[in-house]
Amino acid sequence: MGKPNPSQSRLVAYELVYQVNRDGAYANIRLPELLSKSKMEKADKAFTTELSYGTLRMQGRHDYIATKYIDRKFSEVDPKIQDLLRIGIHQITQMRVADHAAVSETVEVAKLVAGESKASYVNAVLRKVTASSNDLVELSNLPNLERLSISYSHPEWIISSFYDQLKDWAEVEKLLAANNLPAAPDIVAWPGKSSTTELVQLGATQIPGFSNAANLDGIPSEFDPIIQRRAGVQDRGSQIVVENFLTTATIGQSWLDMCAGPGGKAAYLFHSLSQKDTTATFLANEPIPHRAELVKRVVNNQQVVSFDATDPDNFSSTFDRILVDAPCTGLGALRRRPEARWRKSINDLKELVTLQRNLLTSAYKLLNPNGIIAYVTCSPHIAETKGQVLDFLARHKDMSILPLSTLADAHKQGVLKDGTMQLWTHQDQSDGMFMVLFKKVG
Ligand SMILES: C[S@@+](CC[C@H](N)C(=O)[O-])C[C@H]1O[C@@H](n2cnc3c(N)ncnc32)[C@H](O)[C@@H]1O
């Protein structure tokens, strides 16, 4: 084999996959850094993005394929070889790259990052993969859970949690497929700062049924209204949450965003309230310092505090409207975060459910008579959604659900019989947001 000569686009894709899988990097933060250092052309950057994000999403499936051609468990293979095989198999099975190019280009990366002998091994395994149809017909004999887990590259516990809610394997399959498709970012025009007319004039596409939303077929950090902090990157599901909560506004209320970082909903709420009602007050709270700094970039600094919100004594006043956009497993936003499905476990869920419960208890203590709490997660998991609702209502007899269906100006999308809302990526083209409004009586 000659001197290694990898293409920049594959080398950067490998670096990203390795850093995410081995060093805990976040793809959406690390990739822009790697791309800006690389000086690649736009088309090569797009290739790198598709290859690296796609590999991270689909690596469960790729590991299954690789295991057919190796003589040990995939987890026992050298970590560099694991990630090289994954990017090779992604090109062979998921992208329109000719087999010979997928193999030889991956082998060039392997020579540079892992040396000649490991590169030979990668070469041998990938050649065997190209000789197969990779149609995985054998999976049709497996139970639904195992079959879908391999085909759509999702951990089984996550698929079970979707089935618990959807109760229909065909629907679950559609959701898993949607989670594997990249989505162009949604943006929101902050009232008083920009408008959808301006966003559309600058090349974004308006989203029907929304007052301030547009979809951007481009890089948000290169879009002027975002650079100038007059608009934000925000999935339409989160925009629905904010807009629904705002329909409960009356004059002169005090608002708290209890879990505000990095500030998406806080910014939209803050700018909307500033336009609607100058007598309303707004406070955003975020305990993690660097996330609180992000909130300060989009909300007036004087209106951002940094406390553990599970202790209500940290706050010096009570509120009429409290948003509890709680830390959660994020199982509703898997298409936007390629590695997220591999990062969370059932153990995380247990801790998160306790934290969510404690935040709700604290919100209750901070709520004024006739006040409203919006409890929100970007997860459809039953323990983080319906489970929390039942638990909260059982513990607080003076609280009841304010059905979203009774609010004339609220979005109708995803509203369930009990008045809560559950969005689904495959049905609503949004993150799988859950929302319930709790009203305090008297
Ligand atoms: C789902 S995120 C909020 C997203 C945010 N509302 C937005 O739209 O950009 C949950 C936030 O809760 C914060 N958090 C974690 N523990 C908390 C606590 N004990 N009190 C308040 N916030 C907490 C996390 O740091 C995280 O920033």
Side-chain angles (χ1 to χ4, degrees):
M1 288 193 191
K3 196 169 172 288
N5 185 24
S7 68
Q8 270 270 295
S9 57
R10 266 106 173 166
L11 184 58
V12 173
Y14 166 77
E15 283 172 358
L16 182 76
V17 170
Y18 190 85
Q19 290 176 20
V20 168
N21 283 337
R22 314 297 156 191
D23 307 335
Y26 291 96
N28 64 341
I29 297 174
R30 193 73 190 110
L31 182 63
E33 293 167 357
L34 289 171
L35 290 180
S36 69
K37 266 199 315 195
S38 76
K39 302 195 177 68
M40 281 189 277
E41 295 295 325
K42 206 173 164 190
D44 288 337
K45 287 183 180 176
F47 181 90
T48 301
T49 306
E50 185 185 348
L51 174 55
S52 56
Y53 273 36
T55 300
L56 289 166
R57 281 193 193 93
M58 299 304 291
Q59 63 188 22
R61 188 180 206 273
H62 301 340
D63 297 359
Y64 169 83
I65 292 177
T67 304
K68 294 181 180 188
Y69 306 109
I70 58 181
D71 56 2
R72 63 202 103 150
K73 284 190 192 157
F74 192 77
S75 57
E76 289 168 6
V77 172
D78 174 276
K80 286 182 180 168
I81 295 180
Q82 287 184 9
D83 289 342
L84 288 160
L85 290 176
R86 287 166 170 167
I87 63 166
I89 294 172
H90 194 77
Q91 291 168 76
I92 295 165
T93 64
Q94 307 287 320
M95 291 176 78
R96 285 202 274 174
V97 175
D99 284 354
H100 64 88
V103 177
S104 63
E105 291 281 353
T106 308
V107 170
E108 289 305 313
V109 178
K111 283 194 229 168
L112 185 74
V113 302
E116 292 277 339
S117 86
K118 287 177 182 163
S120 298
Y121 183 76
V122 169
N123 185 37
V125 177
L126 290 183
R127 277 167 168 274
K128 287 182 191 160
V129 175
T130 60
S132 157
S133 69
N134 301 304
D135 55 11
L136 308 191
V137 276
E138 71 277 15
L139 299 182
S140 60
N141 299 323
L142 294 178
N144 281 326
L145 192 57
E146 278 173 69
R147 175 177 66 80
L148 294 174
S149 172
I150 298 167
S151 307
Y152 292 93
S153 192
H154 280 64
E156 288 185 11
W157 76 275
I158 292 181
I159 300 180
S160 291
S161 79
F162 295 154
Y163 183 78
D164 285 346
Q165 296 278 49
L166 291 167
K167 297 187 173 61
D168 178 340
W169 285 112
E171 279 293 300
V172 171
E173 189 159 356
K174 284 185 203 158
L175 171 60
L176 303 180
N179 284 343
N180 288 343
L181 292 177
D186 291 340
I187 48 180
V188 57
W190 290 332
K193 296 281 174 187
S194 60
S195 65
T196 35
T197 312
E198 182 193 350
L199 303 183
V200 169
Q201 273 165 2
L202 293 171
T205 311
Q206 186 149 14
I207 304 176
F210 287 79
S211 4
N212 296 308
N215 188 254
L216 185 65
D217 185 14
I219 301 169
S221 58
E222 294 173 4
F223 194 65
D224 276 347
I226 303 273
I227 297 169
Q228 296 153 0
R229 300 205 182 116
R230 297 186 297 107
V233 178
Q234 186 167 53
D235 180 81
R236 64 195 76 179
S238 290
Q239 296 186 42
I240 289 180
V241 163
V242 171
E243 290 170 13
N244 282 350
F245 201 21
L246 281 168
T247 65
T248 69
T250 54
I251 294 296
Q253 287 167 329
S254 49
W255 292 69
L256 170 66
D257 181 351
M258 206 177 216
C259 310
K265 293 183 195 67
Y268 192 20
L269 269 175
F270 169 74
H271 290 294
S272 302
L273 287 170
S274 309
Q275 289 299 300
K276 257 173 153 353
D277 175 11
T278 49
T279 62
T281 63
F282 177 77
L283 188 70
N285 173 63
E286 169 55 46
I288 298 179
H290 77 267
R291 290 173 79 87
E293 286 309 311
L294 295 176
V295 183
K296 284 185 184 166
R297 288 188 192 172
V298 292
V299 170
N300 182 355
N301 281 3
Q302 310 305 313
Q303 290 166 258
V304 182
V305 291
S306 196
F307 303 132
D308 169 6
T310 58
D311 182 356
D313 293 341
N314 281 326
F315 296 86
S316 53
S317 63
T318 53
F319 302 88
D320 301 310
R321 297 287 180 270
I322 302 179
L323 173 61
V324 183
D325 187 17
C328 70
T329 54
L331 299 188
L334 297 184
R335 69 180 174 153
R336 300 236 183 247
R337 301 178 203 147
E339 73 278 16
R341 66 191 69 178
W342 312 117
R343 288 262 164 97
K344 295 281 186 222
S345 70
I346 290 268
N347 288 336
D348 297 314
L349 177 71
K350 283 185 197 146
E351 276 179 30
L352 287 163
V353 166
T354 306
L355 177 56
Q356 291 155 2
R357 186 177 199 264
N358 294 340
L359 286 165
L360 273 171
T361 306
S362 175
Y364 171 78
K365 291 181 181 152
L366 288 167
L367 193 66
N368 288 334
N370 296 312
I372 298 174
I373 294 171
Y375 172 73
V376 175
T377 60
C378 61
S379 162
H381 197 291
I382 207 159
E384 302 181 275
T385 57
K386 285 180 189 159
Q388 291 293 4
V389 173
L390 293 177
D391 175 69
F392 183 77
L393 292 175
R395 290 186 294 124
H396 303 97
K397 299 295 180 199
D398 56 346
M399 298 295 293
S400 60
I401 293 179
L402 171 60
L404 284 160
S405 43
T406 62
L407 302 172
D409 294 331
H411 290 261
K412 301 290 169 270
Q413 246 169 299
V415 177
L416 305 173
K417 277 197 192 118
D418 64 359
T420 66
M421 179 195 84
Q422 178 65 65
L423 302 176
W424 292 101
T425 299
H426 64 299
Q427 292 171 357
D428 301 293
Q429 289 75 51
S430 72
D431 290 350
M433 304 300 299
F434 172 80
M435 172 177 206
V436 56
L437 296 177
F438 293 118
K439 188 166 173 50
K440 193 173 200 165
V441 186

